[in-house]
Amino acid sequence: MKKVVEVLANREQLIDRSLEIVLSKISEAIAERGLCTIAAAGGSTPEPLYRAIAAQDLPWDKIHVFWGDERYVPPEHPDSNQKMARLAWLDRVNIPASNIHPMPTDAGDPAADAAAHQAELQQFFKVSEGEFPAFDIILLGIGDDAHTASLFPGTAALEVRDALVTVGNKDGQPRITFTVPLINQARCVIFMVAGASKQPALAQIFAPAADEMTYPARFVQPKGELWWLLDSAAGAAVK
């Protein structure tokens, strides 16, 4: 694993640097494999990145967009990660509808929807049961509790090692989420973290030793590149 930690002066520079890396990885993936697979993150931090990506002239027919996790709400719900990415990015570009792969949330059964999305990933990446595909780019953030995707402290989802997708749990509310081994198969994982409120979590994530079940982002150790992009407020924890 190649690990890079960069502390940027402010959120604007954080977005600019994130865009630079994402565009580089998109270009690299298309040159090497003919397409790029990217998993989007939710939350407020990446939204301006998505708007910046939408402003680029990219070969949209060669880019496939997924999500690393999703709240178990309809796609038109204000809390939907899919809705945020569509409004900021996907509705603004000429990307084929078939290149957008949202996590389903309409079966009334989170486990069934997680299984359905896993089947879609297996079919798209042409992997067999027990194999984990390699996303070109997975975008992640962290919460103040050091969770990432919908992998929350002390929850069963953290221990799933035999699936690509599972059900996460946030205070009794179900989520759909990538599993630790799927995230760790990625060619490039990019954490975008902003704000002083993230300092305590980052201090534990970067500590020489700490409990991964308590600080889940510590589990993320991809086979490819791991980028930690922090604004100065968050980055004070790791200087």
Side-chain angles (χ1 to χ4, degrees):
M1 180 185 73
K2 174 189 174 185
K3 181 177 179 180
V4 181
V5 181
E6 295 185 6
V7 179
L8 292 310
N10 51 47
R11 291 188 185 221
E12 290 73 22
Q13 289 191 20
L14 169 62
I15 298 306
D16 290 346
R17 182 65 173 134
S18 301
L19 178 64
E20 183 180 356
I21 296 168
V22 167
L23 294 179
S24 172
K25 296 304 173 184
I26 289 174
S27 177
E28 185 179 294
I30 292 173
E32 293 181 3
R33 290 174 292 280
L35 59 81
C36 177
T37 53
I38 179 169
S44 59
T45 303
E47 188 172 356
L49 170 64
Y50 299 157
R51 289 197 296 268
I53 294 173
Q56 308 300 310
D57 182 16
L58 295 173
W60 297 110
D61 61 317
K62 295 180 173 62
I63 297 172
H64 286 258
V65 179
F66 301 77
W67 279 262
D69 75 311
E70 184 58 271
R71 296 176 174 90
Y72 203 67
V73 295
E76 66 275 6
H77 192 281
D79 292 338
S80 168
N81 291 338
Q82 177 189 170
K83 180 177 181 179
M84 184 272 278
R86 284 186 182 274
L87 290 175
W89 169 14
L90 300 172
D91 289 350
R92 299 167 179 250
V93 299
N94 190 28
I95 186 170
S98 58
N99 287 24
I100 302 173
H101 308 267
M103 289 179 161
T105 57
D106 55 1
D109 180 347
D113 278 323
H117 194 56
Q118 171 164 301
E120 180 185 6
L121 295 181
Q122 289 170 330
Q123 181 177 16
F124 177 86
F125 286 99
K126 299 180 173 59
V127 296
S128 303
E129 196 73 29
E131 294 182 323
F132 292 86
F135 277 84
D136 293 306
I137 305 164
I138 296 181
L139 298 172
L140 293 174
I142 64 166
D144 293 352
D145 61 355
H147 85 267
T148 192
S150 280
L151 300 168
F152 291 92
T155 57
L158 292 173
E159 301 183 90
V160 175
R161 295 293 180 272
D162 59 352
L164 282 61
V165 184
T166 192
V167 179
N169 186 299
K170 168 65 170 173
D171 299 330
Q173 298 298 315
R175 309 278 189 97
I176 310 295
T177 186
F178 281 4
T179 60
V180 170
L182 177 57
I183 293 171
N184 282 342
Q185 195 67 26
R187 296 185 176 93
C188 179
V189 172
I190 303 171
F191 277 98
M192 300 172 62
V193 186
S197 68
K198 304 297 172 61
Q199 287 184 23
L202 286 167
Q204 295 297 326
I205 294 166
F206 281 84
D211 180 23
E212 285 83 358
M213 291 295 291
T214 305
Y215 306 102
R218 290 179 63 92
F219 275 121
V220 178
Q221 302 286 332
K223 291 188 174 181
E225 298 177 6
L226 175 60
W227 291 80
W228 282 94
L229 303 179
L230 317 172
D231 75 352
S232 58
V238 299
K239 285 181 179 178

